[in-house]
Amino acid sequence: MEKKLGILGGGQLGRMMITPCIDLGVEVYFLDPNPECSVSEFTAHLTVGDFNDYETVLNFGRTVDVITVEIEHVNVEALEKLEKEGKAVNPSSQVLRTIQDKGLQKEFYQNQNIPSPDFRLIKHKASITDFPIVQKMRKGGYDGQGVQILKSATDFDKAFDAPSVLEDLVDLRMEIGVMVARNAQGEVQAFPPVSMDFDPELNLVKYVVCPAQISEELNKKCIQMANSIAHKFELVGIMAVELFVTKSGEVLVNECAPRVHNSGHLTIEGTSISQFEMHIRSVMGFPLPPVSVTKPSVMLNLLGEMGYEGEAELWSETDVLALPEVYLHWYGKKTTRPGRKMAHVTVLRNTVEEAKSIADEIDIDLKVIA
Ligand code: ADP
């Protein structure tokens, strides 16, 4: 008999989980507040409701066998109750509770001897005295919101007056992401490390590059750290581990997200198994195969174009989508607004340099407008 999987959230991440559910024979159900969310056009199993509401999550969870998430900001009390009732909640309420609060997350790294930038916790902005410093709101931040660098005392005014993590400003050489999955049997598999290039204005990932162009030794170190983090969290599911490589060659954990992640989208075409299939396998207790690079790849996020708001439309001047080995993933969001993640494109080539130059063309050519 097929086991029923319930997913909290029906956005683009949930949408991309549907394909492996079809292939693996997993009956999948979604909970999302938006009746027109990204999964809505592909499933008859969408419950419209708030995944932050205790009763809603509890009632939804009771109708399925396994519960997972596509977003970490969900009602953990309801998940805890479901665990007590014998449901498999993967990742666990405990992992989600720790991740939801950047303060608890930092304390976890400290207690588990996982290297991460030095920090202290504050309640109010009046406690900020040293600059430069990175301020991260403990709760409620997302996609670079709720995180800011305070360069000097003149930035004090823009500091968030909220419970925050104050973190040392790290001299970054590069940012590396490792997707790692673990199942309830304790099997762990990491994906090849990727590098992430940021758009400095939007503070969002611009390109993700696989494999990361780093030494064999650094590659190994990143994978080892991700594996060890998955064990220490006793993770069941997939986790995005975001790492800082400092100019002096240290590897530090920036943060982790216990779900499929933007930095893993290129695994759909670029590696031997996608993050979405690996996640479904890990939460359902299936075996986890090792992962290899199929071909070098670069992923580009398509964000809502500046100055456009309304019904979303893809616009291309030279039809870059006619190029070989260029894969579009449209998220099915009805409306666009500036900077909103609307789709992504993955480019496969024989080298990452070639893939990057095509991604540059696409970046200029392909727009989401209204
Ligand atoms: P979010 O949870 O919004 O993704 P992050 O904690 O990942 O926020 O921070 C966003 C970006 O800010 C990072 O990817 C990095 O470029 C920069 N950043 C965060 N913390 C530090 C730090 N301690 N030192 C230097 N840069 C940082």
Side-chain angles (χ1 to χ4, degrees):
M1 194 191 76
E2 282 185 4
K3 272 195 180 173
K4 292 181 182 173
L5 172 65
I7 302 180
L8 304 184
Q12 68 260 25
L13 301 178
R15 176 168 163 133
M16 288 184 274
M17 282 189 233
I18 294 176
T19 312
C21 286
I22 293 171
D23 294 336
L24 296 169
V26 173
E27 205 177 310
V28 64
Y29 293 75
F30 293 92
L31 175 67
D32 195 280
N34 178 6
E36 292 200 326
C37 63
S38 292
V39 302
S40 62
E41 53 197 345
F42 299 111
T43 182
H45 298 167
L46 170 64
T47 302
V48 177
D50 183 358
F51 43 66
N52 278 300
D53 179 68
Y54 180 85
E55 292 295 334
T56 307
V57 172
L58 192 59
N59 291 333
F60 174 76
R62 282 174 174 161
T63 64
V64 296
D65 304 300
V66 179
I67 298 125
T68 192
V69 298
E70 60 128 42
I71 178 166
E72 54 272 36
H73 301 289
V74 295
N75 189 291
V76 286
E77 288 76 23
L79 294 178
E80 220 173 340
K81 173 89 171 126
L82 288 163
E83 283 166 345
K84 285 190 184 124
E85 293 180 3
K87 297 285 181 191
V89 178
N90 302 327
S92 68
S93 62
Q94 177 66 33
V95 169
L96 287 165
R97 193 184 289 283
T98 304
I99 295 291
Q100 280 180 355
D101 178 340
K102 289 193 183 208
L104 293 180
Q105 201 182 135
K106 292 291 288 185
E107 285 175 340
F108 179 83
Y109 302 143
Q110 192 172 48
N111 295 336
Q112 297 286 332
N113 292 316
I114 297 166
S116 180
D118 285 341
F119 74 102
R120 68 188 176 95
L121 301 181
I122 59 161
K123 291 206 172 92
H124 308 286
K125 78 176 199 177
S127 311
I128 305 175
T129 48
D130 298 317
F131 303 90
I133 199 86
V134 184
Q135 184 184 20
K136 302 184 177 184
M137 279 178 3
R138 289 184 67 157
K139 289 194 168 182
Y142 198 61
D143 274 352
Q145 309 288 316
V147 173
Q148 58 179 340
I149 297 171
L150 304 172
K151 291 197 187 93
S152 66
T154 54
D155 283 340
F156 180 80
D157 287 346
K158 69 171 189 178
F160 311 118
D161 200 14
S164 305
V165 175
L166 287 186
E167 200 174 79
D168 284 359
L169 181 65
V170 171
D171 212 1
L172 291 179
R173 180 150 72 88
M174 63 194 311
E175 297 189 42
I176 298 288
V178 186
M179 298 302 306
V180 60
R182 182 177 176 278
N183 62 15
Q185 299 92 300
E187 292 172 36
V188 174
Q189 291 292 351
F191 283 75
V194 300
S195 63
M196 296 180 283
D197 296 354
F198 279 77
D199 181 318
E201 273 165 43
L202 293 167
N203 202 15
L204 274 176
V205 175
K206 181 163 182 189
Y207 290 156
V208 178
V209 176
C210 178
Q213 304 296 289
I214 53 177
S215 69
E216 189 65 25
E217 191 193 340
L218 185 54
N219 204 65
K220 258 194 193 149
K221 196 168 174 181
C222 293
I223 290 175
Q224 268 167 9
M225 271 177 82
N227 286 344
S228 134
I229 287 169
H231 280 298
K232 286 176 173 173
F233 271 114
E234 293 180 38
L235 175 75
V236 178
I238 206 162
M239 182 170 262
V241 177
E242 292 181 33
L243 301 168
F244 289 151
V245 180
T246 69
K247 294 226 165 103
S248 60
E250 267 183 300
V251 181
L252 305 173
V253 175
N254 170 28
E255 62 172 357
C256 295
R259 55 170 170 81
V260 291
H261 193 262
N262 196 251
S263 63
H265 288 352
L266 46 64
T267 62
I268 299 174
E269 293 90 5
T271 59
S272 52
I273 180 170
S274 81
Q275 62 165 345
F276 301 99
E277 177 168 352
M278 193 70 109
H279 179 65
I280 300 299
R281 282 178 178 243
S282 55
V283 300
M284 300 307 288
F286 298 167
L288 307 182
V291 191
S292 57
V293 174
T294 312
K295 212 166 176 178
S297 59
V298 168
M299 187 224 56
L300 160 76
N301 282 320
L302 287 186
L303 307 177
E305 191 64 14
M306 292 298 152
Y308 293 91
E309 201 153 347
E311 202 174 322
E313 194 182 314
L314 191 64
W315 182 86
S316 165
E317 171 136 38
T318 61
D319 209 3
V320 283
L321 292 178
L323 293 171
E325 296 185 287
V326 169
Y327 302 96
L328 172 71
H329 295 267
W330 182 254
Y331 298 159
K333 295 176 184 175
K334 299 285 176 286
T335 54
T336 182
R337 55 176 182 269
R340 188 176 192 200
K341 283 182 187 156
M342 299 301 294
H344 77 261
V345 177
T346 300
V347 182
L348 262 55
R349 284 296 181 272
N350 291 327
T351 63
V352 295
E353 289 73 23
E354 287 171 72
K356 227 173 185 170
S357 89
I358 302 287
D360 282 335
E361 275 179 47
I362 294 170
D363 186 36
I364 293 166
D365 183 78
L366 203 58
K367 307 280 175 211
V368 180
I369 58 169

